[in-house]
Amino acid sequence: RKEVEQDPGPFNVPEGATVAFNCTYSNSASQSFFWYRQDCRKEPKLLMSVYSSGNEDGRFTAQLNRASQYISLLIRDSKLSDSATYLCVVYNNAGNMLTFGGGTRLMVKP
Amino acid sequence: DTGVSQDPRHKITKRGQNVTFRCDPISEHNRLYWYRQTLGQGPEFLTYFQNEAQLEKSRLLSDRFSAERPKGSFSTLEIQRTEQGDSAMYLCASSYPGPGRSRGNTDTQYFGPGTRLTVL
């Protein structure tokens, strides 16, 4: 079983739609959580950190459920420019490394 | 551009050849990471430096792989006797666990554009 699991998609949604991605992680000692965005043939870029209390950045909302070990990302009012792969990322202090999920591909259509 | 840079951006080599990649981190960042990413997968951690010390190595890093950061600035990743299975994107990231970092205990990692390796 992978340490961080995501539905690979693709999620095909029309502009303006709301879309949600979930991610599960297996290491209960994981301490920090993130969503990264990766455009085709580009490097991953930090989209937002994920806190237990939940956090929002414009149209993006991230939530963490430690008890169930899952992380979610909600995108409201999807734009064409949101088309990308969204990587769920978990950080463990013990190894000082990021562990990435396989990514969920989003395609927003006009 | 003051971001992480990597060189070369693309490398095509024949099986059995040695290749070396370079990463220049953001100048004030003392932590440097190497990851490997294959098509359709997320990046996988390979190794981590704090200054010139290599503190973590993944079991993915076989004895054909070696990474150095001799002066605590740029880093090189060498692959000896390349195999077709080494074909991937090799990503470098850097971070600085200092004031102004993201909330929590984790310093934000900034990625370079990657070196795409193709082994024929």
Side-chain angles (χ1 to χ4, degrees):
Chain A
R1 183 189 171 193
K2 289 185 177 179
E3 193 169 331
V4 180
E5 298 218 50
Q6 296 181 247
D7 180 343
F11 285 60
N12 294 295
V13 303
E15 263 188 298
T18 294
V19 61
F21 307 137
N22 290 329
C23 159
T24 58
Y25 62 95
S26 60
N27 187 347
S28 59
S30 300
Q31 293 155 311
S32 303
F33 309 88
F34 308 90
W35 284 100
Y36 273 70
R37 171 191 168 130
Q38 187 171 27
D39 293 293
C40 189
R41 296 177 113 41
K42 299 283 190 180
E43 72 273 22
K45 292 186 178 178
L46 179 66
L47 179 66
M48 58 197 307
S49 302
V50 188
Y51 307 121
S52 297
S53 54
N55 50 304
E56 188 173 312
D57 182 2
R59 297 181 294 107
F60 298 83
T61 300
Q63 293 199 311
L64 166 65
N65 185 320
R66 283 189 185 270
S68 301
Q69 295 183 202
Y70 84 79
I71 306 151
S72 65
L73 177 68
L74 183 77
I75 306 175
R76 290 180 299 278
D77 189 22
S78 301
K79 310 291 185 191
L80 295 176
S81 57
D82 294 335
S83 297
T85 295
Y86 291 84
L87 297 160
C88 176
V89 187
V90 170
Y91 177 81
N92 188 324
N93 257 7
N96 203 56
M97 69 183 87
L98 298 178
T99 301
F100 287 79
T104 297
R105 190 169 171 211
L106 171 66
M107 298 185 69
V108 182
K109 302 287 180 65
Chain B
D1 187 351
T2 57
V4 179
S5 62
Q6 292 187 244
D7 183 68
R9 296 289 305 276
H10 303 274
K11 178 70 178 179
I12 300 174
T13 191
K14 292 182 179 179
R15 189 175 51 190
Q17 298 295 304
N18 298 346
V19 294
T20 300
F21 310 141
R22 176 178 170 126
C23 170
D24 286 89
I26 294 170
S27 59
E28 66 269 24
H29 286 188
N30 64 341
R31 293 181 174 178
L32 187 147
Y33 311 79
W34 285 99
Y35 292 83
R36 181 175 69 185
Q37 185 175 23
T38 53
L39 197 63
Q41 302 297 317
E44 296 173 293
F45 172 80
L46 292 178
T47 190
Y48 152 63
F49 291 85
Q50 180 151 314
N51 300 310
E52 64 276 8
Q54 188 174 19
L55 299 184
E56 291 287 341
K57 288 174 65 172
S58 164
R59 54 185 165 79
L60 291 175
L61 214 66
S62 76
D63 56 6
R64 295 185 298 105
F65 287 70
S66 62
E68 295 182 343
R69 195 182 183 199
K71 298 180 181 179
S73 55
F74 74 91
S75 175
T76 57
L77 178 68
E78 181 183 15
I79 309 174
Q80 296 182 324
R81 304 181 304 281
T82 52
E83 301 173 355
Q84 287 183 323
D86 298 331
S87 296
M89 175 76 87
Y90 289 84
L91 292 160
C92 175
S94 70
S95 68
Y96 174 62
R101 66 184 182 189
S102 59
R103 203 171 92 192
N105 297 322
T106 309
D107 39 307
T108 300
Q109 294 186 23
Y110 295 89
F111 283 81
T115 295
R116 184 172 296 280
L117 172 66
T118 302
V119 182
L120 301 176

